[in-house]
Amino acid sequence: MSPRWEPNPGVRRGRHVLYNLHAHLVFVTKYRHNVFDDEMLTRCEEIMRNVCTDFGADLIEFNGEEDHVHLLVHYPPKVALSHLVNSLKGVSSRYLRAEFTDRVNRATIHGRFWSGSYFAGSCGGAPLQVVKDYIENQKRPDRARLSS
């Protein structure tokens, strides 16, 4: 390679591609019910990190509030973002409803955890640090406030 070429650690390589694709995703709970606490958000992050790994993607940042979550995902071009989103929502819904039955009332949400819609924003034009800081500064609920 040319000595002028300075590799950027954010740019990933495939066999025939260099890419740096990031998406800001927001998922909202069904009817915007306030179901998340710190423990549940931590488990949700763990589940979504595993799903991303299965797709060859990286979950760069994760946070949320009582009724929604934000993700910053670095994904390869061979992955259709809609397929990644469907897996993230489907797998996390199954696990969270099974593991947190006391917090997720099936009758209230009619067997669905997430709203059918989602937000996906390309982060190519915005500085990634701005998006990371935004997600990092979400008002994560504490356990004491939700248990009362």
Side-chain angles (χ1 to χ4, degrees):
M1 286 206 188
S2 165
R4 295 180 309 195
W5 174 258
E6 293 180 25
N8 180 340
V11 176
R12 295 164 97 194
R13 299 172 168 266
R15 186 170 178 184
H16 299 286
V17 65
L18 292 171
Y19 62 93
N20 191 14
L21 301 172
H22 292 85
H24 174 203
L25 303 173
V26 181
F27 305 149
V28 178
T29 58
K30 187 75 171 176
Y31 306 121
R32 289 202 77 117
H33 282 297
N34 294 335
V35 296
F36 286 114
D37 61 6
D38 184 58
E39 177 188 8
M40 197 170 177
L41 282 171
T42 301
R43 180 62 178 132
C44 186
E45 178 179 4
E46 186 179 300
I47 294 165
M48 290 189 171
R49 195 169 297 283
N50 291 337
V51 171
C52 285
T53 301
D54 291 344
F55 273 83
D58 290 323
L59 182 57
I60 305 296
E61 195 68 46
F62 176 94
N63 210 344
E65 295 183 5
E66 288 104 347
D67 63 352
H68 69 280
V69 297
H70 290 262
L71 299 85
L72 179 62
V73 179
H74 189 201
Y75 64 98
K78 67 180 180 180
V79 171
L81 194 56
S82 61
H83 292 162
L84 177 60
V85 166
N86 287 340
S87 288
L88 286 166
K89 289 172 72 174
V91 172
S92 63
S93 175
R94 274 193 306 280
Y95 279 101
L96 293 174
R97 285 186 296 140
E99 295 174 19
F100 295 92
T101 53
D102 55 326
R103 295 208 39 86
V104 182
N105 183 343
R106 290 177 190 256
T108 306
I109 60 174
H110 304 291
R112 294 204 179 1
F113 185 81
W114 299 110
S115 166
S117 57
Y118 63 92
F119 168 80
S122 169
C123 298
L128 290 177
Q129 193 59 46
V130 171
V131 177
K132 281 180 76 170
D133 290 345
Y134 173 74
I135 293 173
E136 189 176 78
N137 291 319
Q138 290 290 300
K139 294 179 274 178
R140 189 177 200 118
D142 60 351
R143 292 181 190 200
R145 192 173 61 137
L146 284 175
S147 34
S148 54

